[in-house]
Amino acid sequence: ADGAGAWRAAGESPERAGAEPTGAERATAPRAPQLPGVPAGDDETVATLMHRMDVLATACELLLDEPVFNETVAVRRCARLLAAELADWAFVDLTGHGGPVIAGPGGATAADAVPPLRRQVAMGPDDERSVEAARMLEELEPVQGTLPHTVFITRQSTVRPHVDDLELLGVCPDGQPVCAKIGATSVLSVPIEDGERCLGTITLTASGDYGPFDLMDLGVVQRLGRYLALVIRASRLYRRRAEVADTLQAGLLPKSLPTIPGASVAARYLTATHGAAEVGGDFYDVFRTEDGWGLILGDVCGKGEDAAAVTATARHCARLAARWKPTPGDVLGVVNEALLDEDRFVTAVMAGLTMETERVLVSLGVAGHPPAIVVRADGVIRSASRGGVPLGLFEDFEPGLDGVELSVGDTLVLHSDGVLEACDLQRQEFGMERLLETLAAHAKDTPEGMLGAVERALLEFCDGDLRDDVSMLALRVEPPSLG
């Protein structure tokens, strides 16, 4: 799959690709089809053209065969294909911050005004000596004056059918010219450009069967450089969006959970594998209330920056309202009023905690969200009442209400619907029963261990493919401290 084209599929070795066919091969080879503009009977030219077309087709398949564009994978696949089908050695050099913009008349870009090139891949033959040389050449940066650096600055492709300067590709740390070390007798180099910027270069060397390079080779590699540039640009754009999403998401969740006397608290947040470059809608928080502590966990409809704004509103509004509203139902009512002008609704569950010696009184408010779960110290499970309507839909909001009492060793668990709706390959949901069984099996564990067990069971069930964000929050009542 890594660069196997029509020639390789037919069983031909890389060493034979491009080599002059033997007499027996000429006698038994099928007659090549006639191509426009190619003289009849020129089978070698036709075969060469078909080979180059096959390399380009294979390159497209390799570069696009990723659910999410991956720059590192694309670069290595490209180099491996070229080193197998067109050259003895392939080098890919990139800059991490974009290259020089194309200059207008009389406006050439100075070499020292662009970021440096960094060697990404040096790929050659599979023999032991070449593998050792590749490790060294991957550490050798293309400095000013070398062909790759010149091509990067000028954005002008170059082919040297016959090498007359052994230092064309630089000098090794031991003082030996690169061309001499790898036996390069022919070199070509093309820019990796996306139409606006030059992102780097592809450089090929040949000796023996693959050389000398000609304009046909140059054209093929130029096109491949364009394909690779588009993949790299998409990859970097996706990565930047993912980094922004991660930063926004981090701002929507507490940096750390507060210490609650007489209890231990843990939380888990898992980002969906689909739409990873967007901000998720799940949130949770733990905060002081008028006469105790509050826990809230919610889920905003949708993803992205708009959902993030609603998430921030819901979370901070609940934290603020809990300072003067006595019950979770009243707090959720304030949040509902704040969200009426938004275009998205929010489901949420909130727990108000009154801390007493060796027990905690919990009042619950639910707004269209999966109910809280109580895991007793002996493993008995109770699911609290559900009910209420999502926040932000109606002015006459009525939450679902419930109350529970926690003793030492009991654990309160809040979770998003991403836990229940995670699916396996047969599209079966994880569901409430699997969640309750996992929690019961780890009733003696710490809150952190309990949520970790749910995470492992969930990822194993869906084979790591989460379709929605997952958030969980757990509080355990601890024995009184002797101190």
Side-chain angles (χ1 to χ4, degrees), residues 286-293 316-327 331 350:
V286 180
F287 45 80
R288 292 300 300 264
T289 64
E290 185 180 30
D291 55 2
W293 291 87
H316 294 296
C317 184
R319 174 182 278 267
L320 182 62
R323 288 290 184 171
W324 81 88
K325 290 295 183 179
T327 68
V331 172
M350 180 178 173

Side-chain angles (χ1 to χ4, degrees), residues 194-255:
D194 60 8
E196 179 183 351
R197 290 186 178 277
C198 184
L199 306 177
T201 60
I202 298 174
T203 303
L204 304 184
T205 73
S207 58
D209 290 342
Y210 287 112
F213 293 126
D214 55 25
L215 293 180
M216 186 185 301
D217 297 311
L218 191 68
V220 169
V221 184
Q222 277 181 315
R223 181 65 61 88
L224 187 50
R226 169 72 171 171
Y227 294 164
L228 183 58
L230 295 176
V231 173
I232 291 173
R233 184 172 69 178
S235 173
R236 292 180 179 180
L237 176 61
Y238 181 88
R239 190 167 65 242
R240 284 195 296 270
R241 289 188 60 191
E243 290 170 352
V244 170
D246 289 343
T247 302
L248 284 174
Q249 192 71 65
L252 300 176
L253 301 173
K255 291 182 174 63

Side-chain angles (χ1 to χ4, degrees), residues 269-330:
Y269 183 89
L270 305 177
T271 304
T273 51
H274 292 254
E278 293 186 289
V279 188
D282 284 14
F283 68 94
Y284 61 83
D285 204 356
V286 180
F287 45 80
R288 292 300 300 264
T289 64
E290 185 180 30
D291 55 2
W293 291 87
L295 279 68
I296 189 169
L297 188 145
D299 185 2
V300 177
C301 172
K303 285 177 172 287
E305 288 78 3
D306 292 341
V310 177
T311 299
T313 300
R315 178 193 166 199
H316 294 296
C317 184
R319 174 182 278 267
L320 182 62
R323 288 290 184 171
W324 81 88
K325 290 295 183 179
T327 68
D330 294 332

Side-chain angles (χ1 to χ4, degrees), residues 414-466:
L414 311 181
H415 64 89
S416 65
D417 58 7
V419 178
L420 307 180
E421 296 174 1
C423 294
D424 64 8
L425 296 178
Q426 284 72 46
R427 310 310 300 161
Q428 291 183 328
E429 293 188 346
F430 189 74
M432 180 62 77
E433 286 304 314
R434 287 187 178 86
L435 174 59
L436 296 180
E437 289 174 6
T438 305
L439 291 173
H442 294 82
K444 299 294 185 182
D445 209 341
T446 64
E448 185 71 31
M450 185 179 288
L451 297 187
V454 175
E455 178 182 342
R456 291 189 299 273
L458 193 64
L459 293 177
E460 182 178 353
F461 178 80
C462 69
D463 197 28
D465 185 17
L466 290 174

Side-chain angles (χ1 to χ4, degrees), residues 7-81:
W7 293 74
R8 194 167 299 287
E12 188 169 354
S13 67
E15 292 75 13
R16 287 289 303 149
E20 184 71 21
T22 65
E25 288 172 334
R26 291 193 189 95
T28 58
R31 190 168 187 81
Q34 180 66 34
L35 296 181
V38 178
D42 195 350
D43 291 349
E44 184 177 348
T45 301
V46 172
T48 301
L49 284 171
M50 292 180 65
H51 181 214
R52 301 305 188 265
M53 292 168 62
D54 179 68
V55 169
L56 282 175
T58 304
C60 289
E61 294 176 7
L62 293 177
L63 294 178
L64 297 178
D65 186 25
E66 284 290 310
V68 175
F69 290 128
N70 185 302
E71 179 177 330
T72 302
V73 171
V75 167
R76 295 198 68 82
R77 285 180 173 181
C78 179
R80 187 176 295 112
L81 172 66

